[in-house]
Amino acid sequence: MSDEQFMRAALSCAQIGLGRVNPNPLVGAVVVHHGVIIGRGGHEYFGGPHAERNALAACADDPHGATIYVTLEPCCHTGKTPPCTDALIAAGITRVVVGCLDPNPLVAGRGVAALRAHGIAVATGVLTQECAALNEPFLHFITTGRPLVVMKYAMTLDGKIATRTGASRWVSGEQSRERVQQDRHRWAAIMVGVGTVLADDPHLTCRLPGSHSPLRIICDTRLRTPMDAAVVRTAHHTPTLLATCSTDTARAEGYRQAGCEVMVLPTSEGHVDLRALCTALGARGIDSVVLEGGARLNWSALHAGIVNKIQAYLAPKLFGGADAPSPVAGIGVSDPSSAFQIGPPQLTRLGEDLLWESEVLQCSQA
């Protein structure tokens, strides 16, 4: 097998940490001796042993003289666990193949340098793009201190997210909805506006067996979320945060008694300041947020400049209707030259639907 094939095996090992390691990175590792994988490991949960240590512990044979393939540069500092570089040196590993360098200032090439200083051969840049894509939220968070914000919606080919009556089940197909659940398992938080709660009473949980449900964030400027809403009734089981500008302490206490967290934030144009919210979320280690609200929240997020990525599920349907909603409402831009610029897409076929994923390159103001 080639270096690329062994690195793909390491990428597979990294999947074990999905939804469980945030804001730490997903990392996988395989130990190879005489062309045979003798140990596999992944970073399984936040605060737990790193992938390299798990792979070494799982070795069926002595790893002395072996090569280890790891998707992210081994750490060289003491955090919740000791340095992985020390473990590799102690185990007698003679070659380390790294997929992606770690931009964390505590690592940032120092892990590779420490290994080389002990005579260990290090190769970098193997499946770098794939390894970086695995950790898109981490790489954004560790370099900015703010969560990666993904604006997700499903729409018909005539740009509608619901019919003229507001009916939206279902715009997209079954495979698309399954992908949404997989992503909910991955992201640290899911955000909607209070309008979505009032209209749909969603649970905003991941329905996959054995999955992680993200932190639920409701942007509720005036604390209008009903006390009998699903997100409030289940707040003792699934973390729920109400982001508000209201200073009504008595009403806030009712939500807190129900298990919700209430975060009071400054206003921006009469609503919750989304930039301040993202700063607060980053400070508490929330590395990723997916927007699953409606058109008004999408516009507010774009206008605030917090959206980093678009996920658009395109369904082969036409709803029509001048009053049928589109994915982004608000005042909109005044001229085509002021459009929000979107990068080249990554396209994925999901049954009859097409998933369009692009980076937001420029957030122009209206």
Side-chain angles (χ1 to χ4, degrees):
M1 292 175 67
S2 65
D3 283 350
E4 288 77 13
Q5 289 172 306
F6 285 125
M7 188 61 74
R8 292 195 189 281
L11 281 165
S12 179
C13 292
Q15 300 296 321
I16 193 172
L18 278 171
R20 298 182 174 89
V21 301
N22 309 63
N24 283 351
L26 292 164
V27 185
V30 296
V31 181
V32 178
H33 207 15
H34 300 305
V36 177
I37 296 177
I38 62 171
R40 302 172 186 261
H43 183 29
E44 298 178 8
Y45 57 91
F46 179 76
H50 289 185
E52 299 93 324
R53 291 181 176 271
N54 282 334
L56 290 172
C59 283
D61 297 311
D62 186 350
H64 191 277
T67 295
I68 189 168
Y69 294 80
V70 59
T71 57
L72 188 70
E73 179 181 6
C75 66
C76 53
H77 65 284
T78 299
K80 293 184 178 297
T81 60
C84 289
T85 51
D86 289 357
L88 299 177
I89 293 165
I93 295 294
T94 57
R95 182 172 180 252
V96 177
V97 181
V98 176
C100 180
L101 295 178
D102 189 346
N104 185 339
L106 296 174
V107 187
R110 293 182 179 89
V112 166
L115 295 170
R116 286 174 174 158
H118 282 80
I120 297 175
V122 180
T124 61
V126 177
L127 297 187
T128 298
Q129 187 173 354
E130 291 90 334
C131 292
L134 177 73
N135 277 310
E136 186 179 16
F138 167 76
L139 295 175
H140 176 86
F141 175 74
I142 202 65
T143 54
T144 67
R146 299 165 66 86
L148 178 80
V149 178
V150 180
M151 189 173 85
K152 189 275 293 182
Y153 54 86
M155 72 176 188
T156 61
L157 290 183
D158 56 344
K160 307 298 183 181
I161 60 173
T163 68
R164 60 181 175 80
T165 65
S168 60
R169 295 189 178 181
W170 294 102
V171 173
S172 58
E174 185 175 347
Q175 289 188 35
S176 293
R177 299 197 297 273
E178 176 74 11
R179 169 62 186 266
V180 169
Q181 294 300 314
Q182 292 170 1
D183 281 344
R184 282 189 181 182
H185 174 60
R186 176 185 183 183
W187 307 125
I190 181 172
M191 184 189 297
V192 300
V194 66
T196 295
V197 174
L198 293 172
D200 301 333
D201 194 23
H203 282 76
L204 303 177
T205 55
C206 182
R207 295 187 289 273
L208 300 177
S211 62
H212 149 85
S213 284
L215 168 69
R216 302 179 297 195
I217 302 170
I218 315 301
C219 291
D220 187 355
T221 304
R222 295 181 294 279
L223 283 183
R224 295 187 295 137
T225 299
M227 292 300 298
D228 62 352
V231 290
V232 177
R233 289 187 287 103
T234 59
H236 282 297
H237 305 289
T238 303
T240 304
L241 185 154
L242 299 180
T244 186
C245 303
S246 172
T247 56
D248 186 338
T249 55
R251 184 159 178 78
E253 183 58 27
Y255 292 113
R256 292 190 176 103
Q257 290 293 325
C260 300
E261 177 183 356
V262 179
M263 179 185 290
V264 180
L265 293 157
T267 61
S268 176
E269 300 185 7
H271 300 285
V272 168
D273 187 328
L274 295 179
R275 292 190 64 83
L277 174 57
C278 280
T279 298
L281 293 175
R284 63 193 294 173
I286 301 298
D287 67 356
S288 51
V289 177
V290 60
L291 304 180
E292 289 200 15
R296 284 181 293 178
L297 178 63
N298 287 345
W299 167 255
S300 296
L302 283 169
H303 188 58
I306 67 167
V307 181
N308 306 112
K309 184 176 180 179
I310 304 295
Q311 280 189 331
Y313 291 84
L314 309 178
K317 302 173 182 178
L318 301 172
F319 283 173
D323 295 329
S326 63
V328 183
I331 189 173
V333 300
S334 57
D335 188 87
S337 63
S338 299
F340 296 88
Q341 300 298 314
I342 308 300
Q346 175 182 328
L347 302 175
T348 305
R349 184 72 180 266
L350 295 167
E352 294 183 345
D353 299 340
L354 189 64
L355 171 58
W356 174 303
E357 298 180 278
S358 291
E359 179 185 0
V360 177
L361 301 179
Q362 176 185 343
C363 284
S364 300
Q365 297 299 311

